[in-house]
Amino acid sequence: MSRSVKKEALLEVAERLFYEHGFRGVGLKQIINEANVATMTLYNHFGSKDNLVEEVLKQREARYWSYLDSYVEMDSDSPFILAVEAHCRWLKEQSYQGDMFLRAIEDYAGTDNEIESIARGHKARLLQYFQRLAKKKGKDNKREIAYQLTLLLEGTTSMTTLIGAEKATEHSIAMARTIVRHTS
């Protein structure tokens, strides 16, 4: 196994385990065993568990934005609805047990580290994303729209764990249409 393949295996296993069991519920030994790599391999790529968590979050965020960008057509009549639909699809496929970024904020809150900063930055970027969409669509109340849609997505993410992705998606899209209709 080459170095980059080993690093990718570590990241893949770590993300799955962190997602399934939480950041605090998974030790490096478990990650090393399931990735089938030597301990030194992990430390050669990541100096610590925190560094591994940081990289997992950065990689997941990059995939999230790539996913949204591939789905949302900025020039469509309503990129807002497309963004909500894309987020809901992401939940069904990648985040059906809750939000890894919120878990990171909860687990690392007040620890003054990069992990919490990465997770909070992801949430801030979602708000900025909707502000940019609103500006591009010529909306006067872009900040209000951004807050409403960001809150909608955050609520959808939470509700997915309670009522399932299908129902959460159905309600989320209906609410997004109402928001867009009332802000036009």
Side-chain angles (χ1 to χ4, degrees):
M1 223 187 285
S2 74
R3 278 177 112 44
S4 63
V5 171
K6 289 180 182 183
K7 181 178 181 180
E8 290 307 312
L10 283 164
L11 287 167
E12 183 179 311
V13 167
E15 181 176 354
R16 178 179 51 80
L17 291 173
F18 291 150
Y19 189 71
E20 291 173 0
H21 305 289
F23 297 103
R24 306 262 188 237
V26 176
L28 290 178
K29 191 172 196 166
Q30 183 179 4
I31 295 168
I32 290 165
N33 288 338
E34 289 199 31
N36 196 29
V37 299
T39 302
M40 283 310 298
T41 300
L42 182 131
Y43 286 107
N44 284 336
H45 291 290
F46 311 100
S48 67
K49 182 177 177 182
D50 282 358
N51 294 146
L52 178 59
V53 171
E54 291 166 10
E55 192 61 32
V56 163
L57 290 173
K58 288 175 184 176
Q59 182 175 283
R60 188 171 179 90
E61 180 177 34
R63 279 198 331 272
Y64 176 81
W65 290 114
S66 176
Y67 192 93
L68 245 61
D69 288 343
S70 71
Y71 195 80
V72 177
E73 298 169 19
M74 296 294 191
D75 294 329
S76 73
D77 288 339
S78 187
F80 306 108
I81 303 301
L82 291 175
V84 171
E85 288 174 352
H87 180 82
C88 290
R89 282 187 175 194
W90 170 265
L91 293 175
K92 288 178 194 176
E93 296 170 13
Q94 302 286 325
S95 203
Y96 48 88
Q97 292 181 321
D99 184 18
M100 188 176 247
F101 296 98
L102 285 177
R103 287 182 189 166
I105 291 169
E106 292 166 0
D107 283 359
Y108 293 94
T111 58
D112 192 32
N113 66 32
E114 185 64 15
I115 295 168
E116 184 182 9
S117 177
I118 291 166
R120 287 187 185 280
H122 173 72
K123 299 302 179 182
R125 278 186 282 288
L126 189 58
L127 187 62
Q128 294 164 359
Y129 177 79
F130 281 118
Q131 286 178 327
R132 283 192 307 274
L133 282 182
K135 183 178 181 180
K136 184 171 177 98
K137 296 309 282 182
K139 304 284 186 180
D140 293 330
N141 52 348
K142 56 187 171 286
R143 186 175 167 96
E144 181 181 327
I145 293 169
Y147 274 109
Q148 289 175 359
L149 290 170
T150 301
L151 284 167
L152 173 63
L153 292 191
E154 291 300 319
T156 303
T157 302
S158 295
M159 290 302 290
T160 295
T161 61
L162 296 173
I163 63 174
E166 292 297 326
K167 279 284 190 202
T169 295
E170 180 183 316
H171 292 298
S172 182
I173 292 170
M175 289 174 68
R177 287 188 176 122
T178 300
I179 290 169
V180 170
R181 192 171 44 249
H182 288 291
T183 58
S184 296

